[in-house]
Amino acid sequence: MTASRAAIAGAIGTRLRRWLFRVDGPEAGPITLGQRRIFVLPTGFGLALALTLLVMLLASINYNLSLGFALTFLIGGIAWVSIHHAYRNLVDLTVNPGRSEGVFCGEAARFGVQLHNPGLRPRLGLQLWPRGGGSDEAAFDIAPQASSVPVVVIPTHRRGWLQLPRLHLETRHPLGLIRAWSLFQPDQRCLVYPAPAADAPPLRHAGDARPGNAAQSRGRDDFAGLRHHQVSDSPRHVAWKTVARGGPWRTKEFDGGGSQRLWLDWQQLPPGAGTEARLSALARWVVDADAAGIEYGLRLLGLELPPATGGAHRHACLAALALFELPTGHAQPAS
């Protein structure tokens, strides 16, 4: 019975928030902040000022102070006008989804949200943060008939698509007495790749031979793969690009035979590894192979990406790992 009441109360609360804040899931852009989407309330400083004005008014009435009345109503009028200015600072702003680059799981996803000011007056002292965040974000301004793209930072905890949560836009301009805010959720996603494993098996050649077409060569030697770095290894053979990107120290290996296509194969990994462990190891191989500048392909269960190089191929491979799901009927490997 208690669980049923909690479920009913939660459903009522959800419907009330949807009606009150006009937010019901991701919204297609552009989102216009109209009159019914802006809320205005006094800040703590504003409430303290209201209490002070009340005391001043009572004292002026009690002692019949003409100057007290004048000062009370002057300050009260300024505070009342600040309500109008705080509201005008947000009304008619338009919101559009911006860009969000893919990140590895554990890194912070960065969502660029485009705010456009169509009016002839600047919008000053704006703050933007996600649901559950704080109001300590740096304030920014938007010039007349201009746009600004503040970045919203969201932590990541799992691979796949990450939906931008509901955002809170607030201003306390001009005097800090009134806070005006609005809620919205642009339809924007960020792709989260599996985190590259720190202890993945060394990268090795496997697959189809392609004599005479080496992606990397050093004189008469051809690139053969990457292995764990040892103290005695020559600095010339260190995969410096991988180290610069924050990866573990790896050493390039070379042989004198014809070069090969490098296949990153799901089946090459230990059979006892779990799905997420395999995806992390494959992500490490993709990053290492791309840093070494060699041609590589990716084989997953039910998917094969032919060998290639470049940023687009790297993204395609990492995206395939991020969105991978075990085929129906396939046994889940032990973790």
Side-chain angles (χ1 to χ4, degrees):
M1 181 65 69
T2 303
S4 177
R5 289 179 178 176
I8 294 174
I12 293 175
T14 300
R15 288 181 176 272
L16 179 61
R17 285 191 295 271
R18 289 176 178 175
W19 173 82
L20 180 62
F21 298 119
R22 305 290 189 270
V23 179
D24 187 14
E27 306 171 79
I31 304 169
T32 302
L33 303 185
Q35 177 181 349
R36 300 189 64 187
R37 298 194 61 155
I38 298 175
F39 306 89
V40 178
L41 281 177
T43 63
F45 180 49
L47 290 174
L49 179 63
L51 180 60
T52 302
L53 291 176
L54 178 60
V55 173
M56 291 173 61
L57 178 62
L58 294 177
S60 299
I61 294 174
N62 186 52
Y63 295 102
N64 195 24
L65 300 175
S66 300
L67 291 179
F69 283 116
L71 181 61
T72 300
F73 288 114
L74 174 63
I75 298 176
I78 294 174
W80 186 263
V81 171
S82 71
I83 299 177
H84 177 69
H85 281 279
Y87 165 79
R88 281 167 53 91
N89 208 30
L90 293 185
V91 71
D92 293 334
L93 283 176
T94 59
V95 184
N96 280 292
R99 296 187 59 186
S100 53
E101 302 291 341
V103 297
F104 292 104
C105 186
E107 298 178 346
R110 300 175 63 84
F111 294 87
V113 180
Q114 186 180 44
L115 299 175
H116 179 67
N117 174 19
L120 298 178
R121 62 185 183 278
R123 310 301 177 97
L124 307 174
L126 304 178
Q127 291 178 297
L128 180 69
W129 65 84
R131 177 183 57 190
S135 58
D136 56 349
E137 298 296 325
F140 61 95
D141 304 331
I142 308 179
Q145 296 184 331
S147 297
S148 178
V149 187
V151 176
V152 178
V153 179
I154 307 293
T156 60
H157 304 288
R158 57 169 51 183
R159 63 180 175 89
W161 287 112
L162 175 64
Q163 179 68 50
L164 179 63
R166 188 174 62 194
L167 301 180
H168 183 115
L169 180 65
E170 180 176 304
T171 182
R172 300 190 179 195
H173 177 79
L175 301 177
L177 301 175
I178 302 297
R179 58 184 291 258
W181 79 94
S182 182
L183 303 175
F184 48 85
Q185 186 177 8
D187 189 6
Q188 186 174 349
R189 301 186 300 174
C190 175
L191 187 58
V192 181
Y193 309 134
D199 56 350
L203 188 61
R204 298 286 182 180
H205 265 302
D208 305 326
R210 297 183 60 199
N213 189 19
Q216 288 279 344
S217 62
R218 297 294 183 270
R220 301 171 63 181
D221 293 334
D222 296 314
F223 183 83
L226 295 173
R227 61 173 172 82
H228 294 291
H229 179 72
Q230 299 178 3
V231 178
S232 59
D233 292 334
S234 170
R236 294 182 303 168
H237 294 167
V238 175
W240 291 112
K241 290 185 178 181
T242 302
V243 176
R245 293 181 181 180
W249 283 64
R250 302 280 186 172
T251 299
K252 300 177 184 179
E253 287 188 325
F254 304 91
D255 59 30
S259 66
Q260 296 177 314
R261 284 180 174 175
L262 181 60
W263 281 102
L264 313 180
D265 198 331
W266 172 279
Q267 303 296 344
Q268 292 177 351
L269 294 165
T275 299
E276 298 304 320
R278 291 188 182 212
L279 294 175
S280 293
L282 288 169
R284 168 56 58 193
W285 285 355
V286 169
V287 171
D288 288 349
D290 178 74
I294 61 177
E295 189 177 10
Y296 62 94
L298 178 65
R299 285 186 178 133
L300 296 174
L301 299 178
L303 175 67
E304 181 175 304
L305 298 178
T309 58
H313 182 63
R314 177 180 184 271
H315 170 73
C317 292
L318 292 175
L321 298 176
L323 303 176
F324 174 79
E325 294 183 4
L326 282 174
T328 304
H330 194 280
Q332 169 72 30
S335 299

